[in-house]
Amino acid sequence: MTADPAAATFAELVDTSALVVTCGPGGVGKTTTAAAIGLLGARAGRRVVVVTIDPARRLADALGIPAETADDPHRVRGLGRMKGTLDVLMLDAERTFDRLILDKAGKQAEGILNNPIYRSIAGSLSGAQEYMAIERLHQLHEAGEHDLIVVDTPPSRHAVDILTAPDRLASFFGHPVYRTLVGPSRAMARVTSTATAGFAWAVKRLAGPQIVEDTLDFFSSISGMEDGLRKRAAAVSKLLRNQDTSFVLVTSPRAEAIDEALHLNEALQDGGYPMRAAVANLVHPLPPACTIDPALVRAGSALDDQLRHHGELTALAVAERAELATLVDVIESTKHDDVVFCQVELLAQDVHALDTLAQIADALSAPAA
Ligand SMILES: Nc1ncnc2c1ncn2[C@@H]1O[C@H](COP(=O)(O)OP(=O)(O)OP(=O)(O)O)[C@@H](O)[C@H]1O
Ligand SMILES: [Mg+2]
């Protein structure tokens, strides 16, 4: 990818941001990039925390994330002498939800936390994981123990889900079924509202009457939190648009990933989110030029095979660069902010150890070719 000479460098981005959010299509290296950005920040002297989601177990081990207390910030050791510090935590959507309830629900908290309905939806409520990723960053931001927070985002079916999660959670409280269930005439509504009656009948058949009672109790107990949650969602929404927030769009050079990245770029620009960097990861290295004259090579020989392989790899690397050039052009034509472009090559092995993570960090901070 070619860099705009006026654009800031990745080092500047890490230096000037208070919050970095890595986002992009599934499997392109969002978690890896988030960890590498954290490393860059710590090298630059910042107190960094990386909020990861579901990192490969071996990467989690390399970072020293303990299995039990994974959702509290944990100091990464073994990085050599660094000016700053690097903490990581692994997001646990259910536990973050619990923290939120404890924080907002006051006396009702215990009732909610013990409610079987709450327990079953806490980890799986639609969009809960996306919402929790940013909810947790809000908690860390308020705690003020770090000066750079890097948030990894979950593999969403639609990558834009992460941006709309706070608004969706707020609109959940405006949903007619929810309003009916918790409304002032709840007892009447149970009998008269078709929506509620239908709902209750369906749930009763599936799960038994106790579950219906639990559901109604649950909805009515969380209604007291509605205001607090709405305010929190608004604060998170604002935080995501702060000037010292940087969205880093990660993609691979595959055509489908680029399509999705372009869609996300549009959503970021339209929503007023500061889109500051695009990282093309998993790019095949361009093989050195071949100086052998194919006319002199015997057909079917081992050298002939190698030449063909070299030709295929070169064609792939060239095609990937052409795809990425389109991405750069589109971002350049739609951007509101300076965007840093980086290219990170596909390494010979997965990024499951601190030394390979350091290689990714070096590639991010290298001047763009
Ligand atoms: N530059 C690279 N070279 C080699 N392997 C890489 C590189 N970047 C990432 N990987 C590997 O690719 C795999 C996917 O990376 P990662 O988990 O960071 O992607 P992700 O976008 O977070 O995925 P998901 O959408 O599932 O959360 C991991 O095994 C990681 O080690
Ligand atoms: Mg990931």
Side-chain angles (χ1 to χ4, degrees), residues 28-50:
V28 295
K30 298 177 294 295
T31 302
T32 306
T33 305
I37 292 173
L39 185 54
L40 282 180
R43 280 181 185 167
R46 311 203 69 197
R47 294 173 307 154
V48 187
V49 61
V50 177

Side-chain angles (χ1 to χ4, degrees), residues 13-355:
L13 181 148
V14 165
D15 238 19
T16 53
S17 305
L19 169 66
V20 171
V21 183
T22 59
C23 55
V28 295
K30 298 177 294 295
T31 302
T32 306
T33 305
I37 292 173
L39 185 54
L40 282 180
R43 280 181 185 167
R46 311 203 69 197
R47 294 173 307 154
V48 187
V49 61
V50 177
V51 182
T52 66
I53 293 156
D54 204 17
R57 190 61 239 168
R58 277 164 57 209
L59 177 62
D61 287 344
L63 295 169
I65 301 178
E68 283 89 53
T69 53
D71 74 331
D72 278 323
H74 174 84
R75 184 65 41 92
V76 182
R77 309 274 174 203
L79 295 168
R81 197 188 288 272
M82 283 195 313
K83 283 195 280 176
T85 52
L86 177 60
D87 294 345
V88 285
L89 67 85
M90 223 159 76
L91 188 80
D92 178 335
E94 199 170 326
R95 280 168 83 157
T96 308
F97 234 137
D98 289 359
R99 273 180 221 267
L100 180 70
I101 305 262
L102 283 169
D103 196 25
K104 290 277 164 230
K107 284 199 228 92
Q108 307 164 353
E110 206 179 326
I112 298 177
L113 293 179
N114 292 328
N115 187 295
I117 299 296
Y118 166 75
R119 290 258 64 93
S120 68
I121 67 165
S124 59
L125 187 69
S126 156
Q129 219 191 4
E130 288 89 353
Y131 180 74
M132 285 307 124
I134 41 191
E135 172 57 36
R136 189 76 173 101
L137 86 85
H138 186 266
Q139 291 165 352
L140 290 164
H141 183 76
E142 293 293 291
E145 286 164 19
H146 299 92
D147 42 33
L148 172 60
I149 304 171
V150 184
V151 183
D152 173 26
T153 56
S156 299
R157 200 162 48 82
H158 299 294
V160 284
D161 284 358
I162 187 75
L163 303 174
T164 52
D167 302 333
R168 270 184 293 134
L169 192 80
S171 70
F172 167 76
F173 293 108
H175 193 283
V177 169
Y178 170 76
R179 295 240 70 93
T180 317
L181 288 170
V182 302
S185 55
R186 197 185 109 188
M188 278 301 286
R190 280 197 210 181
V191 185
T192 56
S193 153
T194 338
T196 313
F199 169 78
W201 179 81
V203 176
K204 236 178 218 166
R205 284 206 37 176
L206 286 170
Q210 185 57 43
I211 295 289
V212 178
E213 279 310 309
D214 282 343
T215 309
L216 293 169
D217 285 347
F218 170 66
F219 281 121
S220 92
S221 57
I222 62 169
S223 68
M225 297 172 57
E226 186 176 341
D227 224 29
L229 279 178
R230 269 186 202 282
K231 285 199 183 105
R232 182 70 68 98
V236 171
S237 204
K238 184 158 168 268
L239 184 61
L240 291 177
R241 291 179 175 87
N242 270 357
Q243 271 314 296
D244 55 7
T245 293
S246 296
F247 277 83
V248 174
L249 181 57
V250 186
T251 183
S252 77
R254 288 165 52 116
E256 316 84 81
I258 290 186
D259 272 356
E260 207 178 323
L262 286 172
H263 181 56
L264 187 55
N265 170 59
E266 210 176 291
L268 288 170
Q269 309 278 6
D270 289 353
Y273 300 98
M275 183 358 217
R276 302 237 195 263
V279 175
N281 187 30
L282 306 171
V283 180
H284 281 86
L286 200 56
C290 175
T291 50
I292 300 170
D293 181 355
L296 303 175
V297 177
R298 192 162 45 85
S301 65
L303 185 57
D304 186 36
D305 268 359
Q306 280 183 9
L307 276 184
R308 200 174 23 255
H309 186 55
H310 179 275
E312 283 165 7
L313 270 183
T314 308
L316 176 64
V318 168
E320 286 183 353
R321 281 155 182 77
E323 291 279 1
L324 291 172
T326 322
L327 179 74
V328 173
D329 284 349
V330 175
I331 293 178
E332 283 286 321
S333 64
T334 55
K335 69 176 186 175
H336 301 157
D337 304 289
D338 278 346
V339 177
V340 186
F341 293 103
C342 289
Q343 190 166 296
V344 180
E345 291 187 346
L346 176 71
L347 302 181
Q349 72 272 40
D350 279 345
V351 187
H352 290 163
L354 294 180
D355 56 346

